[in-house]
Amino acid sequence: MTLSLTVSDEVRTLAPGFTHVAIEAHGLVNGPSTDGSSAILDEAARRLAVRLDGRAPHEDPHMAAWREVYTAFGSKPSRTRNSAEALAKRALSEAGLPRINLLVDLYNAISVAHLIPVGGEDIDRIQGGMRLVRATGDEDFPTVADGEEVVEHPDAGEVVWRDEAGVTCRRWNWRQGPRTRLTEETVSGIFLLEGLAPMPVADVEAAAAELAELLEKFSPGARITVGSAVS
């Protein structure tokens, strides 16, 4: 791994059951969604329905654990859902999952199929390393609201991913900023899979392995490194 990822002691204290696996990939080929990526998203939605077996996403034990953590740092989980729960809700709706671009489709599919938050960032747009910290409230979070570029600030104590330039994702894995997102020009990416107890570490690793296989399939020749699970 060439990009450093660190988790602060404050976050570890807040969520001692947190585990993450990072995949670093170089030489990626991105572009518009394809029939292939669309089919993978449809299959992920089918796998999710089987996993939930009639339950709502928030009733899954892993999603319930994320709701508890969101509440612990002062966020309302029914209003600001973690990324996996939000995607699962979309997958089960009539609208279905969005088609964004090839790379985003692939990691969204893994998120839905395994019911685990997964994020992707363009390494070339990250300044320095990435850190998971509790915000002071002064950090910049450039985003877009009503079609206009704006700079928000996280709440004090909120868990955020950030680099040297500012926040890259608010409320742990709720909303990613546009600065570092994967675009059709992306050639190097970091993909992060995040789990909480009671999800077994082996399940996080299995999801990472499946995502790595998809990246290899759709970007032949890419240099892909799957990191070890970090608790």
Side-chain angles (χ1 to χ4, degrees):
M1 292 284 179
T2 60
L3 182 73
S4 67
L5 295 168
T6 57
V7 179
S8 72
D9 290 340
E10 285 185 321
V11 173
R12 293 190 184 282
T13 298
L14 179 75
F18 176 58
T19 300
H20 67 277
V21 175
I23 301 171
E24 189 170 311
H26 299 272
L28 293 168
V29 178
N30 201 10
S33 301
T34 66
D35 289 344
S37 68
S38 184
I40 289 170
L41 285 168
D42 288 340
E43 176 60 20
R46 286 190 286 269
R47 290 168 64 182
L48 172 68
V50 171
R51 174 185 288 268
L52 291 174
D53 192 25
R55 294 174 298 164
H58 70 269
E59 295 176 299
D60 177 85
H62 189 216
M63 295 298 94
W66 277 106
R67 284 194 166 214
E68 289 179 6
V69 167
Y70 268 48
T71 300
F73 65 75
S75 188
K76 295 182 178 179
S78 59
R79 181 184 301 172
T80 54
R81 297 178 176 87
N82 76 78
S83 63
E85 184 182 331
L87 273 177
K89 191 175 175 66
R90 284 285 301 271
L92 298 174
S93 72
E94 289 186 9
L97 288 166
R99 273 59 174 166
I100 308 297
N101 60 51
L102 181 58
L103 292 176
V104 175
D105 289 353
L106 297 182
Y107 81 69
N108 278 350
I110 294 301
S111 176
V112 169
H114 292 265
L115 207 52
I116 180 174
V118 183
E121 309 278 0
D122 188 321
I123 288 177
D124 294 329
R125 295 170 181 263
I126 296 171
Q127 298 186 30
M130 291 184 62
R131 294 175 285 141
L132 187 66
V133 300
R134 299 198 70 173
T136 64
D138 297 327
E139 300 88 347
D140 288 345
F141 179 69
T143 186
V144 177
D146 298 324
E148 300 289 334
E149 292 185 2
V150 297
V151 176
E152 296 179 354
H153 303 282
D155 299 327
E158 180 182 323
V159 177
V160 298
W161 278 102
R162 65 160 302 163
D163 64 1
E164 294 304 320
V167 174
T168 57
C169 194
R170 285 199 59 188
R171 296 194 176 105
W172 205 315
N173 46 38
W174 168 63
R175 183 197 291 170
Q176 181 187 31
R179 175 170 61 89
T180 57
R181 66 187 175 191
L182 302 177
T183 69
E184 293 184 16
E185 288 72 45
T186 297
V187 294
S188 295
I190 187 84
F191 301 86
L192 190 65
L193 299 91
E194 301 178 304
L196 288 173
M199 174 170 272
V201 174
D203 287 5
V204 183
E205 293 173 330
E210 186 176 347
L211 178 54
E213 289 177 4
L214 287 176
L215 294 173
E216 291 171 356
K217 177 181 177 180
F218 284 86
S219 293
R223 304 182 306 281
I224 298 170
T225 303
V226 181
S228 301
V230 180
S231 299

